[in-house]
Amino acid sequence: AAGRDPARWDDPDRFDIRRKGANLSFGAGIHLCLGQALARMEFNAIFEAILRHVDRIEPAGNGRRFINNAAVGWAELPVRLTAA
């Protein structure tokens, strides 16, 4: 269940960027994703670029989950950006 275990997390299906604890989206140990360093650098670069121009990021509708046997993520997650 990784980050969606209801025994470990309150409201496990809700995205909460402030959630404390281990994030298992890239796996761990022998199951570690080899591309995680690049993915994290890309994510940081994108968000740093966006945040230079944006004052606020907020939900703009209901997201649609992407769930299969290998991964859990968002197929669609609408957000509203307010210019700085």
Side-chain angles (χ1 to χ4, degrees), residues 15-84:
F15 175 72
D16 183 357
I17 199 165
R18 296 164 295 175
R19 182 183 283 171
K20 300 292 187 225
N23 181 329
L24 301 177
S25 25
F26 288 119
I30 64 169
H31 301 289
L32 181 74
C33 173
L34 295 177
Q36 74 171 301
L38 177 59
R40 288 183 170 144
M41 288 189 310
E42 290 172 334
F43 182 83
N44 286 338
I46 290 167
F47 259 82
E48 286 174 8
I50 289 171
L51 292 176
R52 284 195 292 269
H53 305 282
V54 171
D55 183 53
R56 184 180 176 108
I57 302 173
E58 58 190 9
N62 293 323
R64 187 170 51 88
R65 300 289 288 187
F66 171 78
I67 301 172
N68 67 27
N69 291 336
V72 175
W74 294 100
E76 185 176 297
L77 185 60
V79 295
R80 181 178 304 109
L81 307 177
T82 303

